Amino acid sequence: MTSLSEHPTVKRFHEKAGSSEAHSGTTTLEAQWLRQLCLDAGADDVGFVEIDRPELGDERTDIVGFFPRTRALISFVLRMNREPIRSPARSVANVEFHHTGERVNEIAHRIVMALGDRGVRAINPAMGFPMEMDRVGTGKIWVVSHKLIAVAAGLGQMGIHRNVIHPRFGNFILLGTVLMDAEVSECQQPVDYNPCVECKLCVAACPVGAIGSDGAFNFAACFTHNYREFYGGFSNWVEQIVDSNSVRDYRSRVTSPESASMWQSLSFGANYKSAYCMAVCPAGEDVIAPFLTDRTEYLKDVVRPLQEKEETVYVVAASDAESYVARRFPNKHTKRVSNGLNRLRSISAFLTGLRVTFQRDQSKGLAAAYHFSFTGTEQRETTVIIRNETLEVKEGRVGVADLAVTADTQTWLGFLAHERNLIWALLLRKIKLKGSPRLMLAFRKCFPS
């Protein structure tokens, strides 16, 4: 058997190593060259961020945990065609989302390959899907927060609809990110103004009232409807199948169009139900002309067709969204569903989830401080304060509690998922309350799922 040193592949490696300097992992790439590489790969705009940038905050830990050699990040945008996104026919809009998303991943692939040819190690997290689904119920399922990176890289600012608005292209963009083990000679800083013109058209068009005119955002409302055919809605659909006693029972729960739509998403790719906030946004130098030229016509052509569209809007029972649709859109009808946001596997996920599932309208009149002490598999103490339709979550037991809750971790998570009965848990002392039980019911009302 030939020794390793005599193998042709090994010999060629040593020959190349002797004639060229090996990549050390501290290469600095010239910014203009790298920018042109990304544009040639198909990006419409690009920016660079060093890993130590303060704006990355807690994201840095996740990024380095995923790719420890990260020295800098490439953020790029790809434009979408505007008219398909604005169409009331969601099939047309979703083709644009899917097609552009596939191109984003292809462009990131080309960039990584070109960097690899230069000896730079790089990796491109998915634009959207697939994600790290083994983390469902425990924490963040995406590798990189593309929006945060794009803002840090000077590619735009976040509008009140929580989409990145590019100064030129507006919010009609999708984002891609590449992590690499090289530095860049020049990185960009965030845009020094927000392209959002605060027209509030996204507020007016959102079918579930997820965007508040004061800047508040109801994540759960948006997630439940717009992402109905993504993970949370899919899980709820599967549970409806399992719970159905017969074909007739299933058909009474799920309409034929809903079954067909779910089939389409499973076959073609998960489809958005609205994304109207993106559709109506007039911000961006290339986008704003029709809005400024004739606002009445813009409302007639772009906003009202979405507002007046007859459609099913998916809501959680007794949520802010349910009452909003009834009040604001009499031509749309609601359907009560579960969104899967209560299927938590850790107390950390529960505490993080409080902020995204909180329903401020349901909290009206409630002013209470809650102390939570979790025991068993995950031990944690925290304080939750609900007052003036706002929510605060603090580590440890802070101040005086109106209701103190001591709960076994697994029992509490089962209670949230509607798998454990609260009365049963109280009788078995798996959950203990010190204070009025009515405050427990009021607490749960603020977080319907």
Side-chain angles (χ1 to χ4, degrees):
M1 181 177 179
T2 305
S3 65
L4 180 63
S5 61
E6 294 302 315
H7 192 283
T9 303
V10 177
K11 292 174 71 174
R12 279 193 286 271
F13 166 78
H14 288 301
E15 290 171 1
K16 290 181 179 179
S19 61
S20 62
E21 184 176 346
H23 175 56
S24 64
T26 57
T27 296
T28 298
L29 302 176
E30 200 277 319
Q32 188 56 42
W33 172 86
L34 183 58
R35 175 178 175 79
Q36 193 59 51
L37 181 151
C38 296
L39 295 178
D40 290 343
D44 287 312
D45 199 4
V46 63
F48 314 121
V49 185
E50 61 273 33
I51 188 61
D52 294 327
R53 181 76 67 83
E55 289 93 337
L56 299 190
D58 295 338
E59 289 293 315
R60 186 182 301 104
T61 300
D62 292 337
I63 292 168
V64 173
F66 172 70
F67 188 53
R69 300 177 66 94
T70 304
R71 297 290 178 271
L73 300 91
I74 300 171
S75 178
F76 66 90
V77 303
L78 191 60
R79 288 179 294 171
M80 292 188 288
N81 292 317
R82 296 192 290 272
E83 293 310 317
I85 301 301
R86 290 170 173 162
S87 173
R90 290 292 85 189
S91 61
V92 177
N94 278 296
V95 166
E96 186 65 25
F97 281 121
H98 282 290
H99 180 67
T100 308
E102 290 168 0
R103 290 180 57 210
V104 168
N105 286 328
E106 178 60 30
I107 290 167
H109 170 81
R110 292 175 192 162
I111 293 171
V112 169
M113 181 171 287
L115 290 173
D117 290 342
R118 189 181 171 90
V120 175
R121 295 177 63 178
I123 192 167
N124 51 310
M127 181 280 301
F129 296 91
M131 292 185 172
E132 305 299 299
M133 301 310 289
D134 59 308
R135 300 179 187 172
V136 167
T138 60
K140 192 170 70 174
I141 62 176
W142 54 94
V143 172
V144 171
S145 297
H146 297 293
K147 293 180 181 180
L148 185 148
I149 305 303
V151 170
L155 296 179
Q157 292 285 358
M158 203 82 76
I160 65 170
H161 51 15
R162 274 43 175 197
N163 295 312
V164 174
I165 302 177
H166 187 275
R168 179 183 169 190
F169 309 135
N171 77 168
F172 295 92
I173 56 173
L174 291 183
L175 308 172
T177 306
V178 171
L179 318 178
M180 60 182 182
D181 72 343
E183 297 175 353
V184 187
S185 63
E186 181 182 359
C187 290
Q188 284 66 49
Q189 296 298 317
V191 177
D192 59 4
Y193 73 99
N194 196 326
C196 177
V197 295
E198 298 186 9
C199 62
K200 307 295 176 65
L201 292 183
C202 56
V203 178
C206 180
V208 291
I211 309 165
S213 58
D214 59 355
F217 185 67
N218 186 334
F219 173 87
C222 176
F223 182 82
T224 302
H225 175 64
N226 190 37
Y227 296 86
R228 172 62 186 167
E229 291 171 3
F230 289 68
Y231 167 72
F234 171 78
S235 296
N236 178 237
W237 175 66
V238 170
E239 290 175 357
Q240 288 180 311
I241 295 174
V242 174
D243 283 344
S244 297
N245 297 319
S246 64
V247 171
R248 179 175 294 181
D249 186 20
Y250 170 79
R251 289 174 179 170
S252 71
R253 298 166 183 251
V254 183
T255 67
S256 293
E258 287 176 313
S259 293
S261 187
M262 190 64 75
W263 165 82
Q264 181 173 260
S265 280
L266 292 172
S267 302
F268 176 70
N271 291 314
Y272 301 96
K273 286 297 183 184
S274 58
Y276 296 167
C277 55
M278 294 185 70
V280 302
C281 182
E285 295 170 11
D286 287 358
V287 185
I288 202 167
F291 174 73
L292 295 181
T293 302
D294 192 335
R295 298 191 188 187
T296 300
E297 190 68 17
Y298 188 86
L299 290 172
K300 176 183 175 183
D301 286 350
V302 179
V303 182
R304 286 179 188 151
L306 300 175
Q307 291 177 318
E308 296 171 358
K309 180 181 178 181
E310 293 186 14
E311 61 185 325
T312 298
V313 178
Y314 296 94
V315 298
V316 170
S319 64
D320 292 355
E322 184 174 42
S323 57
Y324 180 85
V325 178
R327 182 174 69 252
R328 182 70 179 81
F329 297 111
N331 57 321
K332 302 181 189 292
H333 60 277
T334 59
K335 181 167 185 176
R336 289 181 167 185
V337 296
S338 170
N339 56 25
L341 292 175
N342 60 350
R343 299 182 183 91
L344 305 171
R345 293 162 50 198
S346 71
I347 295 302
S348 294
F350 158 66
L351 296 176
T352 300
L354 289 177
R355 296 182 175 87
V356 300
T357 57
F358 178 65
Q359 305 289 292
R360 60 177 182 173
D361 286 352
Q362 301 303 313
S363 75
K364 286 181 179 178
L366 177 61
Y370 297 83
H371 283 174
F372 287 93
S373 298
F374 297 104
T375 61
T377 55
E378 190 177 354
Q379 300 182 13
R380 188 94 174 253
E381 291 188 340
T382 192
T383 299
V384 177
I385 301 172
I386 301 174
R387 184 177 292 118
N388 298 325
E389 299 171 40
T390 63
L391 171 76
E392 287 184 88
V393 181
K394 300 181 178 181
E395 197 66 35
R397 290 186 287 182
V398 180
V400 179
D402 296 291
L403 179 67
V405 182
T406 302
D408 168 70
T409 295
Q410 295 306 313
T411 302
W412 181 256
L413 296 177
F415 163 63
L416 296 176
H418 304 292
E419 297 169 354
R420 303 285 179 88
N421 182 276
L422 179 60
I423 301 301
W424 172 88
L426 291 171
L427 290 174
L428 293 183
R429 307 288 288 170
K430 293 289 185 177
I431 296 178
K432 304 174 186 177
L433 304 180
K434 185 177 181 181
S436 173
R438 292 183 179 180
L439 289 176
M440 187 73 259
L441 298 176
F443 179 88
R444 188 165 188 171
K445 180 183 176 183
C446 297
F447 307 95
S449 57

